[in-house]
């Protein structure tokens, strides 16, 4: 059902906008609740009330209005949570990373045709590499932890991080040629945010944990070891 998969036409058309700092703050609060009780199934409504209280909102309605959707819809739109209905209540839990023996290496290909596609939420596992073949030699690797964000924001963070290497007075350890190459990549990434023409988000994940939400139009293939070496 759409409830257990977290799907639904509303999400397919709108998705969860993790573009605002406040969204990341609310998401961080939910993740923290699960850190204190991992593997638990928790009622969405109770967690919503707790998150509203912890983040300084008057009530759940005020939280919903900041999210621009109900807290339940927000949770269903995130790839690292799974939901189920139990005794008429919507429950959810945080997906655990499977042990290495249960990994399924995957290559995932997502074509970005319009700016709307950039708002797809992508859970980038800490084991994966993202490539954009239309941008020479560009590779995106997560920083230590799995990162859940919109594709737009993943690209935005890459622009910000690379930009730090080449800004004047940034103490960049690289020579001029490498600096120029980085600056050219930053320029190329900035252009992609306007999607002047379609481009490809290619994911190589030996763990197979990475996931898109919504995941329509995502092609999945078995990954070869040579893909990531």
């Amino acid at each position: 059902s759409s409830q257990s998969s977290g799907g639904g036409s509303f999400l397919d058309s709108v998705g969860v906008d993790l573009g605002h700092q406040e969204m990341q703050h609310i998401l961080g609060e939910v993740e923290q609740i699960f850190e204190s009780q991992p593997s638990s199934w928790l009622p969405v409504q109770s967690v919503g009330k707790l998150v509203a209280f912890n983040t300084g909102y008057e009530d759940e309605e005020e939280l919903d209005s900041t999210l621009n959707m109900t807290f339940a819809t927000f949770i269903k739109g995130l790839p690292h949570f799974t939901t189920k209905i139990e005794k008429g209540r919507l429950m959810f839990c945080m997906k655990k990373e499977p042990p290495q023996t249960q990994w399924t290496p995957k290559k995932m290909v997502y074509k970005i045709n319009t700016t709307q596609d950039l708002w797809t939420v992508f859970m980038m596992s800490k084991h994966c590499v993202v490539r954009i073949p239309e941008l020479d030699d560009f590779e995106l690797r997560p920083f230590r932890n799995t990162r859940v964000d919109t594709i737009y924001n993943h690209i935005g963070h890459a622009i910000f991080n690379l930009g730090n290497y080449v800004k004047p007075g940034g103490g960049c350890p690289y020579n001029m040629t490498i600096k120029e190459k980085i600056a050219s990549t930053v320029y190329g990434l900035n252009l992609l945010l306007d999607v002047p023409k379609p481009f490809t988000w290619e994911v190589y994940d030996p763990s197979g944990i990475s996931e898109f939400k919504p995941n329509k139009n995502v092609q999945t293939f078995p990954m070869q070891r040579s893909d990531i070496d």
Side-chain angles (χ1 to χ4, degrees):
S1 77
S2 66
Q3 269 145 335
S4 59
S5 66
S9 58
F10 174 76
L11 271 177
D12 288 344
S13 59
V14 180
V16 169
D17 176 11
L18 288 169
H20 302 143
Q21 220 171 351
E22 191 56 22
M23 290 291 211
Q24 290 287 355
H25 180 48
I26 292 164
L27 175 57
E29 196 63 46
V30 178
E31 288 172 345
Q32 220 171 337
I33 289 166
F34 275 102
E35 272 168 31
S36 61
Q37 35 198 332
S39 352
S40 307
W41 282 90
L42 301 175
V44 170
Q45 196 179 4
S46 308
V47 173
K49 284 185 176 144
L50 183 60
V51 167
F53 178 78
N54 288 351
T55 47
Y57 291 101
E58 259 182 50
D59 51 28
E60 232 187 316
E61 275 175 30
E62 200 184 4
L63 177 70
D64 290 352
S65 107
T66 298
L67 292 170
N68 212 15
M69 60 183 75
T70 66
F71 182 69
T73 301
F74 177 69
I75 292 302
K76 287 181 187 177
L78 294 163
H80 58 326
F81 295 117
T82 186
T83 60
K84 67 177 180 181
I85 300 287
E86 197 176 88
K87 295 179 184 164
R89 289 198 305 173
L90 181 64
M91 310 289 286
F92 74 125
C93 79
M94 202 160 162
K95 292 177 187 172
K96 287 204 305 279
E97 183 170 309
Q100 205 162 338
T101 49
Q102 290 172 23
W103 284 8
T104 309
K106 281 182 198 166
K107 172 185 175 183
M108 287 172 271
V109 178
Y110 181 58
K111 198 79 175 167
I112 291 158
N113 296 305
T114 68
T115 50
Q116 181 71 38
D117 297 331
L118 292 171
W119 299 106
T120 292
V121 173
F122 175 60
M123 176 167 75
M124 184 190 293
S125 91
K126 60 186 176 191
H127 312 285
C128 85
V129 174
V130 174
R131 294 183 186 135
I132 298 174
E134 293 80 2
L135 208 58
D136 283 347
D137 300 328
F138 174 71
E139 273 193 359
L140 185 58
R141 291 170 186 264
F143 187 65
R144 285 202 293 271
N145 295 323
T146 294
R147 183 179 170 82
V148 179
D149 216 330
T150 57
I151 290 176
Y152 186 96
N153 278 352
H154 282 299
I155 294 174
H157 282 287
I159 290 168
F160 177 77
N161 292 333
L162 287 169
N164 278 340
Y165 284 118
V166 292
K167 66 181 179 193
C172 173
Y174 302 124
N175 63 32
M176 216 46 218
T177 316
I178 295 177
K179 263 186 151 176
E180 279 165 10
K181 198 162 188 182
I182 293 173
S184 154
T185 300
V186 168
Y187 177 72
L189 286 168
N190 267 302
L191 285 182
L192 291 181
L193 292 178
D194 291 327
V195 195
K197 57 184 181 195
F199 68 93
T200 319
W201 187 261
E202 277 184 7
V203 180
Y204 298 87
D205 190 348
S207 70
I209 296 165
S210 295
E211 201 180 322
F212 293 83
K213 198 82 174 250
N215 66 355
K216 57 179 186 177
N217 306 327
V218 177
Q219 293 176 286
T220 305
F221 309 93
M223 195 189 93
Q224 312 304 318
R225 181 140 295 286
S226 59
D227 284 335
I228 208 163
D229 292 340

